[in-house]
Amino acid sequence: MDEARLTLNGETFDCTALDADARSPWAEARERDVGFRAVGSEPGWHVEVDMGEAPQMRLALDYGQREVTVERSEPFTGDNGVTGYRGEVDGEAVELTIRREDCADPMSGEAFEASATLDFEGDTYRACGRFLWD
């Protein structure tokens, strides 16, 4: 059985179970020792930052159409608990700024513990994210 019906406050929802083999991208990232992961929309994108002193950053931009890897980034700390990572790809600066503050995904409403801003190639991307090893 992989379907169910939920009635809550008079409203009915039909539900279908996920594929038993489906895995959360958050769980998969943690298994790969990713320290921070953020996802944004419009356009869809995400970033993963590995653990370590000069962690690799992986960007998937434009709904996954462009993948960019910063081989070595430099962690930084700013005012008011702001942290982040800076690096370079083909002469282009990449900067990910992270703020520990409540953040809600504008599409799904999902709650996150951090907001993230990525500056790359003259564009600014906004997202919500989680620290996976706190």
Side-chain angles (χ1 to χ4, degrees), residues 14-74:
D14 290 320
C15 306
T16 303
L18 293 174
D19 178 345
D21 295 328
R23 303 271 331 238
S24 158
W26 300 92
E28 288 179 358
R30 186 176 173 136
E31 288 172 2
R32 289 184 279 110
D33 288 330
V34 170
F36 180 81
R37 184 172 197 275
V39 294
S41 55
E42 303 308 323
W45 72 282
H46 71 265
V47 60
E48 293 181 343
V49 182
D50 289 344
M51 304 286 285
E53 291 181 22
Q56 187 179 77
M57 280 194 294
R58 287 174 301 286
L59 319 173
L61 306 171
D62 303 323
Y63 301 100
Q65 296 297 311
R66 289 192 317 148
E67 293 185 358
V68 177
T69 300
V70 177
E71 292 298 333
R72 295 177 57 83
S73 69
E74 177 184 330

Side-chain angles (χ1 to χ4, degrees), residues 2-24:
D2 59 0
E3 294 183 8
R5 177 167 285 148
L6 169 69
T7 303
L8 181 64
N9 296 329
E11 192 171 354
T12 301
F13 302 91
D14 290 320
C15 306
T16 303
L18 293 174
D19 178 345
D21 295 328
R23 303 271 331 238
S24 158

Side-chain angles (χ1 to χ4, degrees), residues 84-106:
Y85 301 88
R86 291 184 182 110
E88 192 174 288
V89 173
D90 297 330
E92 284 285 333
V94 179
E95 183 169 297
L96 177 68
T97 303
I98 303 166
R99 289 176 175 76
R100 285 188 184 260
E101 61 187 8
D102 292 339
C103 187
D105 182 283

